[in-house]
Amino acid sequence: HALLTELTAQEQIAARERLRFYPWLHVDASSYRRYAPDTVAFAHVLGRMGSVDAETVANDPRTDDVFANYLAGEKVGISGVEWAAESSLRGRRGEVARDREGTTIEDIAAENGSSVRMTIMGSLQRRLYDLLAKAVEAHAESNGGAIVVLDVDTREVLALVSYPSYHPTRFREDYESLRDDTEKLPLLFRAVGTRYQPGSTIKPLACLSGLFNSVITPDSQEECRGALFPEHPESWRCWEI
């Protein structure tokens, strides 16, 4: 049962010193996270934290650094930016050594992790998520989708949308229903978490191949009237099977 929360680093040290004679009281490391009111569109991008497991400890690149290596019970990024920027976001533990008289022999200050700034445009991310949600819900055959917007000049990722998503603040409460939804797969980060057919991005290459092999000419025309679902000819058009 937590008696006090949100102690500073110095308060934690003082508490450990004063409570060392009481084995039923101890100071545990913890974290506190706040989300903006509307973060559903960003849930997959931000990612999640999970407990350090045996594999993480075994593959820890900083295993020889006693102030930075992973310890059982700690948290580590397991998806999204939390995973991709784990090495930057993670800080280092500190240590204070005193002799029997209480004189400080060594004081190694803890180091906070670095801040990470994304190139995602918040307004664009939310707008595209809403538009994609309407498009998916309008087609009963669709179970989700993704939108990726890149800045060609800077190569920055301006939007990384995956639908459906989930509310980060309710992840624990909703986890079982999210996990068991095998139709819409709300936990799948569709924008980066799986592979898809190249779609229209392959057309220029196919066109060049046709021209070089004299299969088509610059004047050739082709109209595809096919659809993925024949009973819905206006949905997923230009699809021949």
Side-chain angles (χ1 to χ4, degrees), residues 129-141:
Y129 183 85
D130 292 340
L131 291 174
L132 182 58
K134 293 179 181 178
V136 171
E137 297 303 328
H139 296 83
E141 300 84 1

Side-chain angles (χ1 to χ4, degrees), residues 151-172:
D151 186 315
V152 177
D153 293 329
T154 64
R155 299 186 180 182
E156 293 179 343
V157 181
L158 304 182
L160 205 58
V161 180
S162 181
Y163 180 86
S165 184
Y166 57 89
H167 205 298
T169 59
R170 293 191 49 82
F171 180 77
R172 290 183 179 274

Side-chain angles (χ1 to χ4, degrees), residues 174-185:
D174 299 339
Y175 175 71
E176 290 188 2
S177 61
L178 294 171
R179 178 200 61 192
D180 296 339
D181 189 347
T182 57
E183 179 182 356
K184 293 193 173 182
L185 301 174

Side-chain angles (χ1 to χ4, degrees), residues 97-120:
R98 296 189 177 95
D99 60 21
R100 296 181 61 180
E101 283 71 35
T103 303
T104 300
I105 301 174
E106 186 177 31
D107 187 349
I108 302 175
E111 299 177 11
N112 292 326
S114 303
S115 297
V116 174
R117 181 180 293 275
M118 296 186 294
T119 59
I120 299 294

Side-chain angles (χ1 to χ4, degrees), residues 27-122:
V27 179
D28 285 335
S30 63
S31 60
Y32 178 72
R33 177 171 299 195
R34 291 185 298 175
Y35 289 99
D38 181 14
T39 53
V40 174
F42 302 87
H44 291 103
V45 178
L46 294 175
R48 295 183 286 110
M49 300 284 287
S51 299
V52 170
D53 56 17
E55 182 179 357
T56 302
V57 173
N59 298 322
D60 188 354
R62 296 185 289 186
T63 184
D64 296 329
D65 188 341
V66 296
F67 298 111
N69 59 355
Y70 290 110
L71 302 177
E74 291 185 331
K75 297 293 185 180
V76 60
I78 59 175
S79 68
V81 174
E82 291 284 7
W83 170 81
E86 168 67 19
S87 59
S88 298
L89 293 170
R90 182 173 175 79
R92 300 178 78 252
R93 295 179 292 272
E95 182 180 74
V96 176
R98 296 189 177 95
D99 60 21
R100 296 181 61 180
E101 283 71 35
T103 303
T104 300
I105 301 174
E106 186 177 31
D107 187 349
I108 302 175
E111 299 177 11
N112 292 326
S114 303
S115 297
V116 174
R117 181 180 293 275
M118 296 186 294
T119 59
I120 299 294
M121 294 178 59

Side-chain angles (χ1 to χ4, degrees), residues 200-234:
S200 294
T201 58
I202 198 66
K203 291 178 180 179
L205 295 178
C207 182
L208 287 174
S209 177
L211 289 172
F212 286 138
N213 291 279
S214 300
V215 177
I216 61 174
T217 70
D219 298 323
S220 298
Q221 295 184 7
E222 179 70 24
E223 181 180 6
C224 177
R225 305 291 297 178
L228 179 60
F229 298 103
E231 63 273 21
H232 300 288
E234 297 303 317

